[in-house]
Amino acid sequence: MDIISFVKRVPTTTTIVSIKDQQLDPQGVEYVMNPYDEFAVEEALKLRDEAGSGSVLAVSLSDGAAQKELRTALAMGADEALLLNNAEAGNIDCMTTARALADSIQGRNFDLLLFGKQAVDRDQHGVGPAVATILGVPCITEVVKLTVEGDKVIAEREVEGARETLEASLPCAITCQKGLNEPRRASLKGIMAAKKKPLETREVELAGPSMEIVEMALPPKRPAGRMVGEGAAAVPALIDALRGEAKVL
Amino acid sequence: MSNILVILESRDGALRPVSLETLGAARQLADARGSQVLAVATEQGTYDAAALGAAGADKVLVADATAHSADGAAATTARVAKEQNCNLVMAASTVRGRDLGARVAALMGGGLAADCIAMDFADAASPTFTRPVYAGKAELKVRLANGVGVATLRGNFFAPAGRSSEAAVENIAAEAGKAHVSGISAQSSGRPDVAEANRVVAGGRGLGSADNWHMLESLADALGAGLGASRAVVDAGWRPHSEQVGQTGKTVAPELYFACGISGAIQHLAGMRGSKVIVAINKDADAPIFQHATFGIVGDVHEVLPALTEALAAVPS
Ligand SMILES: Cc1cc2nc3c(=O)[nH]c(=O)nc-3n(C[C@H](O)[C@H](O)[C@H](O)COP(=O)(O)OP(=O)(O)OC[C@H]3O[C@@H](n4cnc5c(N)ncnc54)[C@H](O)[C@@H]3O)c2cc1C
Ligand SMILES: Nc1ncnc2c1ncn2[C@@H]1O[C@H](COP(=O)(O)O)[C@@H](O)[C@H]1O
């Protein structure tokens, strides 16, 4: 089973956002592998090992800094890594990213493409299905359970109020949702081994942007709230506030 | 000026309410453009010409697909967009809508403005969309290059148009897809899904155990609310992940959100800070959730929740 797993470098979820030049001010920000991409890497390793043959390639597009996240994927157990470099990569829309990622793997053989369901920086949920569409392979998004039997893929996902089962055949793309697996931590041995694994760096061109950022701002502040009281005795005051003041009851 | 195409989403033949909201947003923009709102339904179902017209559609095109296939639906949508001179496609930011939106944008060679919460159409040919980023810790105002591509809209942020006009309904051929839905099982709680509910009752570790959830269920049923949970509770196996609210769960924006025994971690806030009214119930007066609450009660959930449920039963709705 030959699998390509896509990994994005993102700020940790506890990052306090401040804005500089219409972008996240990188001062003091810590970066990690996008949490959903950990599910993708884990699933890739599991499927490769179950199949008993094949390889896992981890790919990341960044302004050069995603070396560290690719090394993490290698330390978890990926076989090789490809770093796509462009100075603008930190500030492009997901369709431009998808075009660059699709280009970079044109002509390469794969059975599966694995993505996170969303990158927790710009929260676009777009790259996986867009890459699949550009390459003309089927794609199943936000998957919480995945079974591969021969070249048949059966996946489950949760949609609002229901659970869907979907079927497709290989080669195929999957975007991974929490619940799919428990990502492993890299072992010390894995980290040592990762240093010797191949990591190719390639400069890439980007197509003209398909979306323009007009402004980045902090969200409007919520009006200050208030305490209505303590314990069960506060319940009447709460109901009055919800009916009279907030008019939601 | 070019028309707008809205992707309708249905389940078991019934239209999702959030699709009517999307039609309302498209209507406002189309009126500013002096153009039309078309809607495409990529699954068979019952499409009510009066309700769809009232929400904002001029014409509804119903594809003859049987099972839902995202790539098939995307191909059908992109074909209709071209045939009907639509440079902008809109869909609800649901699991299916997000999936379809990205594919249609790719097929159109356009951009994707995902999960938008506001729209400014001072320039009607190329509107500006506001979308939360970094889990709502910031907002971007974005424009699709040349106004071409897809915008997906978050539920509860836009409203159906409320016109008195009927849509024309036509049948069209569906494109075939490579992946398809082979089974669907509805969650049978009878409560609305947390992501779509207009009211949400959410519980955290402060509830103490899974067995205590009946307190939240009673409150939710008194309010007609959906149930939500913090990640601590989902990780403990007390509740399913489908109920998790937050950065790695669902993003919700109901009119009324109850956070019960939830501390208010930054990743939880990320999923619910857009709620219009937030009520926090926590026994720790210093819990961070109180800084974000509209109304707070310091107290034990075991005491406050039953009292609240009982008092609500007495409130005329
Ligand atoms: C990458 C990442 C992603 C994450 N994503 C999410 C996410 O999507 N959603 C999410 O929720 N979290 C998320 N988290 C976890 C988050 O950081 C918190 O750990 C979690 O939200 C805490 O849940 P909690 O408030 O239920 O529990 P706690 O923080 O333990 O808080 C329990 C609260 O209950 C109160 N309490 C206790 N007993 C009672 C009582 N009897 N009556 C009233 N109050 C009581 C306590 O005072 C306390 O404030 C994420 C973390 C990481 C690192
Ligand atoms: N720059 C990137 N490099 C590699 N993979 C990416 C990149 N951006 C997005 N992805 C992949 O696409 C998924 C969805 O991203 P997004 O559409 O930005 O929310 C991520 O979880 C990654 O798997």
Side-chain angles (χ1 to χ4, degrees):
Chain A
M1 177 92 63
D2 289 321
I3 304 172
I4 307 179
S5 192
F6 293 85
V7 170
K8 189 173 192 192
R9 172 179 166 86
V10 299
T12 61
T13 56
T14 45
T15 301
I16 312 265
V17 169
S18 53
I19 297 168
K20 196 179 155 201
D21 302 330
Q22 306 298 337
Q23 289 185 41
L24 174 72
D25 182 353
Q27 184 76 35
V29 172
E30 262 183 70
Y31 291 84
V32 289
M33 181 191 298
N34 178 39
Y36 292 105
D37 300 351
E38 294 182 5
F39 301 123
V41 172
E42 176 63 34
E43 200 64 15
L45 301 175
K46 237 174 64 186
L47 288 168
R48 176 200 64 190
D49 294 346
E50 276 167 24
S53 68
S55 76
V56 173
L57 167 69
V59 177
S60 190
L61 168 66
S62 81
D63 52 11
Q67 279 254 358
K68 175 174 138 281
E69 286 67 33
L70 286 175
R71 286 282 174 214
T72 302
L74 292 171
M76 286 171 76
D79 300 285
E80 47 176 329
L82 172 59
L83 179 62
L84 306 168
N85 249 338
N86 186 294
E88 294 302 314
N91 207 28
I92 57 175
D93 63 277
C94 65
M95 300 308 294
T96 306
T97 301
R99 289 179 190 109
L101 293 178
D103 275 354
S104 76
I105 57 163
Q106 270 312 345
R108 201 184 156 103
N109 272 330
F110 61 83
D111 299 298
L112 263 181
L113 305 177
L114 294 175
F115 300 85
K117 81 158 177 132
Q118 100 197 65
V120 301
D121 48 4
R122 296 273 174 84
D123 298 319
Q124 299 179 96
H125 290 89
V127 168
V131 169
T133 302
I134 294 164
L135 296 174
V137 297
C139 174
I140 305 176
T141 60
E142 307 200 23
V143 168
V144 295
K145 186 164 184 241
L146 182 64
T147 317
V148 182
E149 286 165 6
D151 74 347
K152 189 169 168 197
V153 177
I154 302 164
E156 291 178 26
R157 70 176 178 187
E158 273 159 12
V159 298
E160 295 75 12
R163 196 173 170 106
E164 290 182 341
T165 306
L166 297 101
E167 292 180 10
S169 54
L170 297 177
C172 168
I174 298 288
T175 82
C176 303
Q177 162 70 307
K178 186 186 167 185
L180 182 60
N181 55 42
E182 280 302 322
R184 68 194 71 183
R185 296 281 143 227
S187 65
L188 192 60
K189 202 167 140 233
I191 294 169
M192 298 311 289
K195 292 184 177 151
K196 298 199 199 78
K197 289 181 177 171
L199 192 163
E200 182 196 342
T201 303
R202 205 186 285 169
E203 294 298 322
V204 292
E205 300 277 317
L206 297 173
S210 46
M211 197 170 74
E212 169 205 359
I213 294 176
V214 182
E215 187 188 298
M216 181 172 178
L218 295 178
K221 275 217 159 38
R222 293 186 69 86
R226 65 182 175 87
M227 291 300 199
V228 295
E230 284 184 26
V235 164
L238 174 64
I239 290 186
D240 280 350
L242 292 175
R243 295 190 73 185
E245 230 172 287
K247 298 194 169 46
V248 288
L249 281 187
Chain B
M1 214 181 279
S2 110
N3 295 324
I4 300 163
L5 181 62
V6 171
I7 303 177
L8 301 180
E9 187 173 335
S10 53
R11 172 96 34 79
D12 299 328
L15 195 64
R16 310 294 286 167
V18 62
S19 289
L20 299 177
E21 298 171 17
T22 311
L23 281 174
R27 181 78 258 159
Q28 283 194 309
L29 180 59
D31 287 347
R33 288 184 177 197
S35 71
Q36 291 212 309
V37 175
L38 294 108
V40 60
T42 56
E43 258 186 294
Q44 286 172 348
T46 330
Y47 297 97
D48 179 344
L52 288 160
D58 294 307
K59 199 199 286 186
V60 180
L61 304 166
V62 182
D64 61 4
T66 44
H68 176 74
S69 154
D71 46 348
T76 306
T77 303
R79 188 194 78 211
V80 171
K82 200 166 173 193
E83 286 168 359
Q84 304 283 337
N85 179 34
C86 304
N87 67 357
L88 178 64
V89 173
M90 287 177 157
S93 180
T94 55
V95 174
R96 281 191 181 180
R98 291 196 284 263
D99 181 5
L100 273 177
R103 295 167 193 263
V104 172
L107 292 173
M108 292 172 82
L112 175 67
D115 203 18
C116 304
I117 58 169
M119 179 174 64
D120 175 337
F121 40 88
D123 175 0
S126 184
T128 305
F129 296 97
T130 304
R131 51 178 312 270
V133 290
Y134 301 103
K137 287 182 250 177
E139 291 178 359
L140 289 184
K141 287 196 162 67
V142 298
R143 248 156 70 185
L144 301 170
N146 305 312
V148 178
V150 178
T152 59
L153 309 187
R154 192 179 282 186
N156 283 334
F157 279 86
F158 300 87
R163 315 184 299 163
S164 54
S165 114
E166 202 159 290
V169 180
E170 282 173 22
N171 290 314
I172 58 167
E175 301 289 333
K178 296 193 192 85
H180 64 276
V181 172
S182 59
I184 180 155
S185 57
Q187 286 153 12
S188 53
S189 72
R191 296 186 191 88
D193 184 81
V194 61
E196 294 184 319
N198 204 26
R199 294 170 172 177
V200 170
V201 172
R205 189 141 50 189
L207 264 285
S209 77
D211 293 339
N212 287 331
W213 234 257
H214 65 89
M215 293 193 294
L216 287 186
E217 288 168 349
S218 303
L219 178 58
D221 292 342
L223 289 162
L227 281 178
S230 73
R231 167 160 159 187
V233 156
V234 172
D235 284 354
W238 297 357
R239 301 302 299 177
H241 181 254
S242 57
E243 289 180 7
Q244 184 179 318
V245 172
Q247 182 143 24
T248 47
K250 288 179 177 162
T251 305
V252 304
E255 200 170 55
L256 182 55
Y257 188 92
F258 281 85
C260 311
I262 293 178
S263 59
I266 192 164
Q267 296 96 347
H268 187 79
L269 294 169
M272 44 65 82
R273 65 201 312 158
S275 308
K276 270 141 221 126
V277 173
I278 297 171
V279 176
I281 301 166
N282 197 300
K283 71 174 185 189
D284 175 6
D286 295 324
I289 189 73
F290 285 124
Q291 277 151 39
H292 304 269
T294 324
F295 304 117
I297 292 183
V298 180
D300 191 323
V301 286
H302 295 90
E303 197 197 314
V304 178
L305 289 176
L308 185 55
T309 306
E310 194 179 322
L312 280 168
V315 172
S317 53

